[in-house]
Amino acid sequence: MKSPLVAVLTLSLVLAGCSGIRDSRINPFNWFGKSRQAEAITLVPVGGYGTSASDRRVLVDQVTRLEIRRTPEGAIVSAAGLPPTQGWWDAELVAENHGLPVGGTVTYRFLVGEPVPGTAVASRVLTAESREVTAGAFLSNIALQDVRRIVVTGAGNSRSVNR
């Protein structure tokens, strides 16, 4: 009976002494200090993204694939495109008419950014797969209510999916 009592008393004394460690540098929860408010830092350009004056992207040459993947909240529109060479980037599906359906059709433009000048292109590996770029967009269930057709357009062709 004495040893459990001694163990409980020793444990309570040790725990009482730990209150001083709570604010010390020994405690790993204090290593980074408390958070404080700071000015927001953003990488958005001065004119913003997607404005007609600053957006220098062009339509992809060919739209090779268009898929609609259903989710519980709506659908993900996924498209693949084929630019003329490697190095094209910044792919995006940009909705026309602010994403509102016209006659039951939602239309996206498949935009891509040109390669950076001086970008090395592998001459031995110029397969279509090595040049392919993909982009996606999300449509909520509310936005899908009046949609019967989704079209993605490129410079040379367009692809569509019907409901």
Side-chain angles (χ1 to χ4, degrees), residues 10 16 43 124:
T10 305
L43 296 176
R124 292 181 11 190

Side-chain angles (χ1 to χ4, degrees), residues 23-151:
D23 297 327
S24 73
R25 288 286 178 191
I26 298 173
N27 185 351
F29 292 111
N30 295 333
W31 287 353
F32 293 103
K34 295 182 180 180
S35 65
R36 52 186 169 261
Q37 188 170 344
E39 183 179 335
I41 298 173
T42 180
L43 296 176
V44 176
V46 175
Y49 289 115
T51 59
S52 59
S54 66
D55 194 0
R56 296 185 178 159
R57 295 177 294 178
V58 296
L59 288 171
V60 71
D61 280 356
Q62 292 179 340
V63 180
T64 57
R65 187 178 67 237
L66 174 60
E67 297 175 350
I68 308 299
R69 296 186 182 118
R70 294 291 298 182
T71 67
E73 297 83 19
I76 298 172
V77 179
S78 175
L82 202 58
T85 61
Q86 291 178 333
W88 292 77
W89 64 292
D90 198 16
E92 183 180 8
L93 294 179
V94 177
E96 293 182 354
N97 301 319
H98 304 290
L100 300 174
V102 176
T105 302
V106 173
T107 305
Y108 289 96
R109 292 179 296 131
F110 195 142
L111 298 179
V112 289
E114 293 187 39
V116 177
T119 302
V121 175
S123 59
R124 292 181 11 190
V125 189
L126 284 179
T127 62
E129 292 83 10
S130 71
R131 295 181 290 145
E132 188 176 76
V133 293
T134 58
F138 177 76
L139 285 169
S140 68
N141 283 328
I142 296 170
L144 282 172
Q145 286 178 353
D146 299 327
V147 175
R148 297 288 167 241
R149 186 173 176 213
I150 298 174
V151 177

